Amino acid sequence: MIPVTKPFLPPQEVYESYLKGIWKRQWLTNMGPLASELEIRIRERENLKYALFVTNGTIALQIAIKALGLKGEIITTPFSFVATTSSIVWEGCKPVFVDIDPDSLNIDPDKIEAAINENTTAILATHVYGNPCDVEKIEKIAQRHNLKVIYDGAHAFGVKINGKSIFDYGDISVCSLHATKLYHSIEGGLIFTNDSKLVKKMERMRNFGFDGPSNFSELGINGKNSEFHAAMGLANLDFFDSILEQRTMLSDRYRQKLKSLKIKYPKWHENASNNASYFPVVFDSEETMLKCANQLKLREIFTRRYFYPSLSSILPYLENTEMPITEETAKRVLCLPLYFDLAIEEVDLICRIILRAHEN
Ligand SMILES: *Cc1c(COP(=O)(O)O)cnc(C)c1O
């Protein structure tokens, strides 16, 4: 059996070495020393001013929306994981979908302005598969219309653009450290901003709004993460470069083996690095895609239709809107297995099955 993804686990002794400290201190959660150490190591690694370690990527999005005081309409992409949209609704705002660019599969910046009206307060865009959005264009639009920008960088850990961390962009950027993501802390999320006031506010928000032992400065929630999760994050961080290297090698192998086919890949941002967080393939038709997926499934090789269907046509709490490019693309995309201990022979087998499925 080959799953579509498999979480990376560090050598058990490495994790246990962190556990020893937890047992000694008996400090299990609530901004403990390992959680702080993880925040420091991540912001140093990313060369950013601030990083907040929270419960998960969804809470990170919700805190971001709340902290910016967003109301009314938020422009967003229908080609993402449901949490991008549901967080907007959960925070009492209205998601307004803008169709994607057919090449990058990210929100099409040239279509954003047509969706702006007097109720629009922000743009929440996803760096889909870790491929950066057109951050320059989005920033210009936001400035022109006085909008806030949040980036859902759930897939984007480790991506550099113009020599900087991708999380340096937007008023706030968030990341998910869920077990299925390329770099994880079992469950976890990160919030980034360069604004010192905003980071203080979000720090209080993730801790029930406490400002001192018996003071509240704002509405808060429980967005804290535990020492056990921080320990996994710290243990995995030392392996990140080798994880990235291995996944890049496997992705290159896929590309090389599939190069005779009429398939496409998301057009990567010119000035950005690629973190190989997924291996999405855009087939020429849904029929071909399904044929390949079914042939793989017969051999117990599992793929995922990330992201199908379009969020603009499936959520019971939203009216459906037409997003022709997203709908057309979502039908044809398939993510192939990609994880650290996937063997190169397994990639070759998957490619042979896909090539054969194309022949008949
Ligand atoms: C995984 C994911 C999230 C949610 O992150 P969790 O840590 O699972 O809450 C949000 N947005 C996108 C695009 C994701 O892929």
Side-chain angles (χ1 to χ4, degrees), residues 99-266:
D99 214 348
I100 56 170
D101 174 281
D103 298 320
S104 73
L105 311 190
N106 285 323
I107 195 166
D108 187 341
D110 295 332
K111 292 186 178 143
I112 291 178
E113 284 195 297
I116 296 175
N117 63 42
E118 69 279 7
N119 298 321
T120 312
T121 56
I123 300 166
L124 197 180
T126 302
H127 303 304
V128 180
Y129 310 124
N131 181 24
C133 295
D134 192 333
V135 288
E136 282 91 5
K137 265 194 192 164
I138 291 174
E139 188 168 329
K140 279 205 194 97
I141 295 166
Q143 276 172 0
R144 205 175 305 138
H145 299 273
N146 196 22
L147 304 176
K148 300 290 185 190
V149 178
I150 300 173
Y151 285 114
D152 181 343
H155 310 159
F157 192 87
V159 171
K160 290 252 173 329
I161 166 170
N162 306 316
K164 296 198 292 188
S165 166
I166 185 63
F167 302 132
D168 211 0
Y169 289 84
D171 293 280
I172 299 176
S173 277
V174 309
C175 185
S176 165
L177 303 186
H178 184 257
T180 56
K181 307 300 204 263
L182 147 101
Y183 165 64
H184 77 90
S185 64
I186 313 173
E187 289 274 2
L190 293 166
I191 310 179
F192 302 94
T193 179
N194 291 320
D195 181 328
S196 61
K197 274 206 190 115
L198 196 55
V199 79
K200 287 265 165 1
K201 184 173 182 176
M202 294 192 288
E203 226 173 336
R204 295 187 301 259
M205 280 183 153
R206 77 165 166 191
N207 187 29
F208 307 102
F210 272 114
D211 187 15
S214 49
N215 261 340
F216 297 97
S217 55
E218 49 243 307
L219 177 65
I221 195 161
N222 185 355
K224 297 174 276 95
N225 211 335
S226 83
E227 290 292 277
F228 294 81
H229 294 86
M232 185 60 83
L234 286 165
N236 284 344
L237 200 53
D238 288 330
F239 295 92
F240 182 72
D241 292 327
S242 43
I243 294 171
L244 182 60
E245 197 181 316
Q246 182 70 7
R247 296 176 72 114
T248 303
M249 186 274 288
L250 295 168
S251 305
D252 290 346
R253 183 75 167 196
Y254 268 127
R255 267 188 215 100
Q256 181 206 331
K257 292 277 167 180
L258 297 176
K259 68 171 184 286
S260 64
L261 294 181
K262 231 173 74 195
I263 54 176
K264 287 208 304 191
Y265 304 109

Side-chain angles (χ1 to χ4, degrees), residues 258 345 347-357:
L258 297 176
E345 294 76 20
V347 171
D348 291 354
L349 170 68
I350 293 165
C351 293
R352 277 202 303 278
I353 295 169
I354 293 176
L355 288 166
R356 216 175 297 136

